[in-house]
């Protein structure tokens, strides 16, 4: 039980940060699950098409003076049918949810990166600069130069380096609050002065977000296998090799069948494991897997608390991006991710 709720052994300040990070991660995970379950209902709804048609008929007929006369009349029939509405991806509430969760995850990851060892910090900062330079933020303001990108990168990198090099004794809570205020200020300027909408920001940041999703998926790709090792060896006094072999064959066999089914090589009536479910389970197991590596001194940085914030922050960003992809019914991106995720696992 102690190993399951390992964060209870941390100092109180660390626990609060972990709970906040865990809440953001769960919110992003549930948001993705909700939009994935909705499917195309997020962008298409059913309308009722009513049509009024005329049906002429003879109301009555009679004979007079050797001639036959008819009284014509018209009946009206009302028919209704369901038709799909035009696809609409403009949903401000959904966009704000996805954007807000993604930015909160970025705040956690940025704050945690300032507490990493120097070499890892420079690597994370380099990745940050490259990703921000691909967002095309200048286009949001209607500019063709790189001035807006520079004005966004400079304060973020400057604040990050300030905590890494000069204010190393600052707590992670202070760093999270500082980055949250800075990101909120930048977002306010974009939405007020730049007249940007959440849909604009999500559309421009979508490529960089998918890069983070792919990178995060490689980070957690072995978490289920580690979980199977723990499950097979959890009962002492028994030979765990047969159990582990059976679980691995079952898991890997399902992945192979899923990949063959997704590539249309087989069309068997089986219950396949969705790569998205595998991704979600891997992300959840990674919370404990990262802690295990820290206990075994195999991690590159301490898990408490910067490692947990970095992991949960990147996980929140990843699931927020996937939630946005599903909320807009981006079928090409969903299908490409399903194929790539199956190959990765």
């Amino acid at each position: 039980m102690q190993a399951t709720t390992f964060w209870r052994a941390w100092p109180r300040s660390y626990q609060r940060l972990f709970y906040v990070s865990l809440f953001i991660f769960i919110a992003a995970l549930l948001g993705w699950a909700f939009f994935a379950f909705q499917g195309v209902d997020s962008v298409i709804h059913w309308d009722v098409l009513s049509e009024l048609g005329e049906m002429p008929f003879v109301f009555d007929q009679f004979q007079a003076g050797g001639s036959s006369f008819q009284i014509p009349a018209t009946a009206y029939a009302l028919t209704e049918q369901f038709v799909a509405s035009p696809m609409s991806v403009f949903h401000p509430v959904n966009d704000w949810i996805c954007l807000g969760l993604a930015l909160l995850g970025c705040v956690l990851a940025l704050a945690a990166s300032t507490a990493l060892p120097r070499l890892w910090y420079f690597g994370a900062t380099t990745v940050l600069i490259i990703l921000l330079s691909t967002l095309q933020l200048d286009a949001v303001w209607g500019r063709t130069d790189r001035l807006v990108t520079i004005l966004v990168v400079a304060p973020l990198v400057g604040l990050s380096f300030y905590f890494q090099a000069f204010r190393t004794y600052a707590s992670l809570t202070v760093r999270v609050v500082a980055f949250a205020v800075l990101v909120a200020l930048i977002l306010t300027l974009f939405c007020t002065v730049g007249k940007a909408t959440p849909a604009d920001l999500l559309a421009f940041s979508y490529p960089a977000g998918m890069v983070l999703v792919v990178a995060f998926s490689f980070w957690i790709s072995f978490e289920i296998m580690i979980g199977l090792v723990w499950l097979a060896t959890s009962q002492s006094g028994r030979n765990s090799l047969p159990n582990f072999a059976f679980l691995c064959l079952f898991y890997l066999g399902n992945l192979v069948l899923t990949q063959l089914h997704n590539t249309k090589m087989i069309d068997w009536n089986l219950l396949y494991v969705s790569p998205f479910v595998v991704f979600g389970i891997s992300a959840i197991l990674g919370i404990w897997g990262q802690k295990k590596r820290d206990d075994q001194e195999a991690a590159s940085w301490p898990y408490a608390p910067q490692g947990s914030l970095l992991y949960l922050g990147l996980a929140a960003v990843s699931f927020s991006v996937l939630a946005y992809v599903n909320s807009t019914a981006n079928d090409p991106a969903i299908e490409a991710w399903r194929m790539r995720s199956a190959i990765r696992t």
Side-chain angles (χ1 to χ4, degrees), residues 7 18-34 97 101 104-105 108 280 283-284 287-288 311-317 319-320 323:
W7 55 85
F18 181 80
Y19 286 136
V20 171
S21 305
L22 188 62
F23 174 78
I24 297 173
F25 164 70
I26 294 176
L29 180 63
L30 293 178
W32 162 73
F34 172 76
I97 292 174
L101 291 173
L104 288 174
L108 295 176
I284 295 173
I287 298 175
W288 289 270
Y311 179 84
L312 293 174
L314 292 178
V317 174
F319 284 109
S320 299

Side-chain angles (χ1 to χ4, degrees), residues 94-133:
N94 296 348
D95 295 339
W96 273 116
I97 292 174
C98 296
L99 181 62
L101 291 173
L103 290 178
L104 288 174
C106 290
V107 166
L108 295 176
L110 286 172
S113 66
T114 62
L116 298 179
R118 183 62 58 90
L119 182 61
W120 286 101
Y121 164 75
F122 283 126
T125 304
T126 303
V127 172
L128 171 66
I129 295 173
I130 294 175
L131 291 178
L132 288 177
S133 64

